[in-house]
Amino acid sequence: MLTTTLSSPPTSDLAIPHAEGVSNDEFRAAMSRLAAGVVLVTAHDPDDGPRGEDVGMTATAFMSVSLDPPLVMVSLRNGSRMDDLLAEVPVWAVSVLSDNQRHIAGRFAMKGRVSDRLLFADVPSTRGEESGALLVTGALATLECRTENRVVAGDHTLVVARVLTSAVPSATQDAPLTYFRGKYRHLA
């Protein structure tokens, strides 16, 4: 009989070694062969400073989950700023980046980066009506989401959210920004 648990596994269970013969490097190399779209996940932290602060994170582990109801999922590294923020703030946004927005993806993927406020300074954007999060102008599509479920999965948390708004704001024929073998790629 299959049993499932709805609670998160104890932290000690997250350190279980890989299956025999599978190293981190081998797993990473295999997964780098999976091409992925690139999105910017954004949220507004109302408690950071007098007017709050906008937070952004580049993600390639983003996908559609369900059409009815409309659900999406993003994978966040446990303990990251975005993971901590989305545990507290239930609404957030996603901008599906185009090939010509590679510079935006790169700056929000940097480790040890400067304040997100400075990173957003020259990124054209509008504020979502439902989430209050920034939506990148010229993105291929934008979504505003409300978290419905969080599932701890190894060293990441899978955040499943209901789509509150969806828009294709640009009539552009731009190609999507993709990530393959550890680099941003042009879809040909």
Side-chain angles (χ1 to χ4, degrees):
M1 174 178 221
L2 177 66
T3 60
T4 58
T5 178
L6 297 178
S7 62
S8 300
T11 304
S12 61
D13 288 352
L14 298 178
I16 296 171
H18 291 289
E20 193 172 315
V22 179
S23 71
N24 287 350
D25 290 340
E26 290 168 330
F27 180 67
R28 190 175 290 116
M31 295 289 59
S32 76
R33 279 15 182 221
L34 178 64
V38 182
V39 301
L40 183 67
V41 178
T42 57
H44 184 75
D45 184 354
D47 297 328
D48 192 350
R51 291 180 293 183
E53 184 169 1
D54 295 304
V55 178
M57 180 198 89
T58 301
T60 56
F62 177 78
M63 63 182 281
S64 168
V65 174
S66 169
L67 184 60
D68 187 17
L71 298 174
V72 293
M73 183 194 74
V74 66
S75 179
L76 306 173
R77 185 176 38 82
N78 294 338
S80 67
R81 183 168 185 200
M82 189 62 73
D83 179 42
D84 293 344
L85 180 57
L86 293 192
E88 301 295 324
V89 176
V91 289
W92 45 281
V94 174
S95 297
V96 179
L97 299 179
S98 69
D99 191 26
N100 64 13
Q101 294 173 319
R102 180 181 306 214
H103 64 288
I104 295 171
R107 75 171 57 171
F108 285 96
M110 291 186 303
K111 292 181 180 176
R113 62 188 192 228
V114 297
S115 159
D116 281 12
R117 182 173 290 131
L118 294 175
L119 296 178
F120 277 116
D122 66 345
V123 175
S125 60
T126 59
R127 194 163 295 283
E129 291 183 26
E130 295 291 327
S131 66
L134 294 180
L135 302 167
V136 177
T137 303
L140 296 179
T142 59
L143 306 165
E144 290 184 274
C145 308
R146 177 179 305 280
T147 299
E148 292 214 343
N149 199 5
R150 296 173 55 85
V151 180
V152 174
D155 60 2
H156 278 64
T157 297
L158 307 177
V159 180
V160 178
R162 182 177 297 256
V163 177
L164 303 173
T165 68
S166 175
V168 181
S170 177
T172 181
Q173 296 299 318
D174 289 344
L177 181 58
T178 57
Y179 194 73
F180 180 70
R181 287 190 168 179
K183 296 181 181 178
Y184 297 117
R185 305 287 181 156
H186 177 73
L187 186 63

